[in-house]
Structure formats: C-alpha cells, structure tokens
Amino acid sequence: MSTADFVVVANRLPVDRNTDGGGDGEWRRSPGGLVTALEPVMRRTEGAWVGWPGKPDLEFEPFDFDGMHLVPVALSAADVEDYYEGFSNDTIWPLYHDVIAAPRYRRNWWEAYQRVNRRFAEAAAAVAADGGTVWVQDYQLQLVPKMLRDMRPDLTIGYFHHIPFPAYGLYSQLPWRKQVLEGLLGADVIGFQRIADAGNFARAVRRQLRYETKASGIRVPAEGGGHRTALAKAFPISISTDDYIELAQRPDIQARAAEIREDLGNPKTVLLGVDRLDYTKGIRHRLKAFGELIEDGRVSVEDATLVQVASPSRERVESYVQLRDEIELTVARINGDHDTWGHSAIRYMHQAFPREEMVALYLAADIMLVTALRDGMNLVAKEYVASRIDNRGVLVLSEFAGAADELASAVRINPHDIDGMKDAIVRAIEMPAAEQGRRMRALRKRVREHDVEDWSRAFLDALASAARSNSPAHSAAGARAISTAATEAEHRA
C-alpha cells in the first residue's frame, strides 16, 4: 500500500457510490463543507482519506479519486447499528447536545464503538508515511487519536470536534468518560467550534484525569515518562463563501428564486428554515412561534409564508421517527386551521436539495430562521448570509448556535422563549431596508473574511506549531506535510 504524508480520518469518505444506473456503480464527490475545505489540501499533498463508503457489508480496495487516495473502512450492518446509530447517535449526540433527548448507555454499543474506532486507527496507521500528519474528524472517532499515538508515536495527530462539547455536569454522566478524554488527548491539537466547548473539555480533563491545564495547553503524560502538551482551542468552522456568492450571481438561480416566490403566491414576506430533521434544531419551537403569530393575528397567511426544509436524518433511530411524526402533525394542524385557497401558512418539504436550489431559496427568503436549541456551528446561517449579495434579508439566530459567536449583527433569540421569538420574527418582518442593509453588510464582511480556507489554515498552523513543540526532532516528512497543507489553504484564501 502506498503511504501519504497527510491523512484525513472521517466517518465517511468524501465520495458517494452512485448505483442508479445498475451494475457496479460509480463514485461521485459528496456535498458538504468538510469535503470542500479539505479537498484542495488533499490534492496538493497527494494525501489519503480514510472513511466508511456509506453502505454496510461492502468492501472496497483503496483507490484514487480526483487527486485523492481513498482508503475505505468496511462496516457490517451490526457495526452501523451499534457503533453509528447506537453509540455515536443515541449516546454521544444527545449527551453532547445538552441532553435535549435522553442518551442511552449500552455496553454493547460502547464495545462496538471501541472496535470500529480501532479499525479506523489501524487503517490510518497503515497508510500514514513515517513522521506524517493525521487529522481526525468528529465525535464518531474520539478514540482514534490515542489509538493512533499508541500504534504510531512518530505521527503528528490533530482532531476536530464539529459538535458541542458539554458542560462537565452533563459529560460526567458518560460511563466511559475517562476513556473518551484519554482518546481525544492522543491528539497534539484538539479543535472545537466555540471557546466555551474548549473550556468544557479542559474542565472535564481536570476533574476526571487531574491533568494540569494552563491557557489552552493540557499537560499530558507521555509514553516512557515525561510530558507533552496538547492544545485544546476553538477553531470555528466556516463555508466556501466564494462558491455561494458565485451561485447567487447566476441569472438562472436568481430566476429560480423569483419562481419560488411566485409558486408561494407572492407573499410580502417569505420566512425560511433549513435543517436536518433533528431534535437539536428547534424546529418544533419555530413552528409553535409562527403558528401562534397567525393565531394572534400578528401575521396573516396572505402576507407571510414559512418554508421549512427538513432533510431526512437517521431514519432508523426511534427518536427521529417520532420527531418527524410530531413535526408533520404540527404543520398539518397549522395549515388546516389557517390556509386559504391561494396561500399556505407553511410549505414543508422533507427532502434534501442540491446547492443550486438552496441558494435560490436563500435568495427568495426575506427572513432566515435558525432556532437551534444547541448547535456546534450551524453553517446554514453563514450560507444564507453569503448568498445575500443584495445586502438585504434578516438572519434570526439562536444564541445557542456556535455561529452566534461570530454573527453579532443577527437578530439573536433564545428559542426556548416562544414570546421572545415571536417578537423577534415580527421585528424582522417590519425591519426597514436601511437597517437590513447595515446588519447584512456586517454579517457578510465577517463571513467573507473568515471562510473555510481560513479555518483549515488556522488549524494546520496550530498543528505545525504543536508538532515542533512536542517533538523538535519530528521528521521532515511530517513537517513538510503540515507546512504544505497550510500553504495551500493560504493560497486558496
């Protein structure tokens, strides 16, 4: 097997297998911000990407795709059920999102999580060059950094946590809390979305492992004696801003936006929610607030329509099945009570759309509602801002989304405060064009200055610094890989 100086390890490969035409199918690039952020780095460094192909019980040999070397990790149907749907998404996901839904702690899920994490670590260890760099992504693989360090102490290891990290009082519920912390501390740099998340992690380390923490550094015992320093710090992720600007400037997409408004009956105000169908997104709270506004007579269905796009998510997990039923019953009740022949209160779509259609929706929407109860970042908020090349529109943003730390000119809300959310929506509907322009220009400035290339460059710079600090004799290959990756990110910026 060929080796690579720079390796990304993620739950999924950056490609999907298209079998629509029958036969063996073909690979196509996956949508998503992480792929956009890392693909140019992978090409420049001739890096490798380790991940699951997305379907159970399928095994593929490593292959090259569009300048990247891809290393598939096979998962059985039982692995998917226990490691992914079970421990990752029915234990870690609800626990790390402030126990909005009750996490379940099952020992067989934990055993599967350990087993699958080891499989990912072994695949990365096999493909990483001597002294190379490995960047592990997200909560499905929290044990991989330490496993990798045990297998390959010559490697520089980074980890980025895309979701929130909970306060200690919640995190301490996890029966395997020490093992997860030790797994993450195998990395030289542990990145988080928010300063508060990095602080929560450091606090858990102090309480559970009694390691010394100072500023962003954590003093970790090293193999064979001595210590090394792991950096735990916020690196808020962003989007490829220029891609959204280019799409928003296309005449066909602008025409599609006008068509969407026409199809909705040309209301004065189009409100938009775009989410995965997930209990963390506050969709129920949003629908309740909008339904009450109509009931109170503060908003009329002739003048305002809410478009809710809820893309399918974890459809085999019971809590998600129940959530879909509840949301669709709520939409039906509100529409049944308030629709007219020409206008619907809520246009609901349980499906995913390509990026071009999403940008058309962003252009069509006067108000973007991001009402997350807890969110690591929420890139939809940034996508809406980037798409508003007319400097119009209003972003109503939950203070519990990571994006709220950066997008200070949004109308901020506490989604648990239904009356406050209702007042914010009315304020957004009535906001003068001049105020919209002031707010949107400030939001767009932030999103343009801090895009996804800036995120990857900042993380890789920190990783290079950590590698030098922890191992002055670190091999030339590893230093070269990080430096090249960071330089590529800078060129893209």
Side-chain angles (χ1 to χ4, degrees), residues 198-441:
N200 287 342
F201 174 74
R203 197 168 297 112
V205 168
R206 287 196 302 270
R207 294 287 296 272
Q208 284 296 318
L209 303 179
R210 307 297 180 185
Y211 293 170
E212 179 185 345
T213 65
K214 186 175 181 180
S216 298
I218 299 173
R219 199 162 181 257
V220 183
E223 198 71 29
H227 293 81
R228 61 182 181 85
T229 299
L231 181 70
K233 186 179 175 183
F235 298 89
I237 199 170
S238 194
I239 61 170
S240 181
T241 309
D242 288 344
D243 290 351
Y244 284 88
I245 293 173
E246 290 170 12
L247 288 170
Q249 291 171 336
R250 277 174 37 182
D252 60 321
I253 290 180
Q254 294 177 2
R256 175 60 184 145
E259 184 181 355
I260 289 171
R261 293 189 71 102
E262 181 75 28
D263 291 344
L264 295 171
N266 276 321
K268 291 180 182 177
T269 305
V270 175
L271 301 95
L272 176 63
V274 176
D275 313 88
R276 273 191 317 103
L277 189 62
D278 192 288
Y279 48 76
T280 65
K281 302 298 184 181
I283 302 172
R284 290 174 289 196
H285 299 63
R286 181 184 315 158
L287 296 177
K288 182 176 179 62
F290 188 69
E292 287 188 11
L293 283 172
I294 298 173
E295 193 74 41
D296 297 344
R298 297 175 70 185
V299 169
S300 73
V301 293
E302 289 83 5
D303 291 338
T305 297
L306 170 60
V307 177
Q308 177 60 57
V309 177
S311 57
S313 176
R314 300 167 189 161
E315 296 182 285
R316 301 199 326 175
V317 178
E318 182 58 32
S319 58
Y320 288 78
V321 175
Q322 294 174 0
L323 176 66
R324 179 181 178 183
D325 289 345
E326 183 179 341
I327 287 173
E328 292 180 355
L329 283 170
T330 301
V331 170
R333 178 182 57 76
I334 294 171
N335 283 345
D337 288 344
H338 301 292
D339 277 9
T340 66
W341 290 116
H343 297 87
S344 281
I346 301 170
R347 183 68 63 86
Y348 170 81
M349 286 159 287
H350 181 246
Q351 53 195 284
F353 292 103
R355 184 180 292 185
E356 291 80 2
E357 183 75 355
M358 291 311 306
V359 172
L361 274 168
Y362 295 147
L363 291 176
D366 304 287
I367 299 169
M368 184 81 219
L369 298 177
V370 177
T371 60
L373 307 180
R374 191 77 164 92
D375 217 336
M377 177 52 62
N378 195 289
L379 294 179
V380 164
K382 295 186 176 185
E383 292 171 4
Y384 178 73
V385 168
S387 301
R388 296 305 308 204
I389 57 175
D390 59 354
N391 288 321
R392 290 293 181 268
V394 182
L395 173 62
V396 177
L397 178 60
S398 167
E399 63 188 71
F400 302 116
D405 290 354
E406 300 178 84
L407 304 182
S409 296
V411 176
R412 287 166 62 103
I413 58 164
N414 172 1
H416 299 283
D417 176 7
I418 300 300
D419 285 337
M421 195 193 312
K422 289 160 63 177
D423 291 342
I425 291 172
V426 172
R427 180 184 173 193
I429 290 172
E430 297 175 350
M431 187 176 291
E435 183 180 353
Q436 289 185 34
R438 285 196 303 271
R439 288 174 174 269
M440 189 56 69
R441 279 190 291 272

Side-chain angles (χ1 to χ4, degrees), residues 44-89:
R44 174 99 174 191
T45 60
E46 297 183 346
W49 189 305
V50 176
W52 175 46
K55 294 187 182 298
D57 298 314
L58 291 178
E59 296 200 21
F60 300 98
E61 291 297 315
F63 62 97
D64 293 327
F65 178 89
D66 206 13
M68 296 180 284
H69 185 62
L70 305 185
V71 182
V73 175
L75 298 181
S76 68
D79 290 333
V80 173
E81 182 176 353
D82 293 340
Y83 143 79
Y84 182 69
E85 294 174 352
F87 195 81
S88 295
N89 292 320

Side-chain angles (χ1 to χ4, degrees), residues 126-140:
V127 75
D130 290 344
T133 297
V134 180
W135 192 359
V136 184
Q137 305 289 330
D138 220 3
Y139 66 102
Q140 301 95 344

Side-chain angles (χ1 to χ4, degrees), residues 16-22 24-28:
D16 295 316
R17 192 161 179 80
N18 180 14
T19 56
D20 292 346
D24 293 334
E26 60 182 21
W27 298 100
R28 60 186 175 193

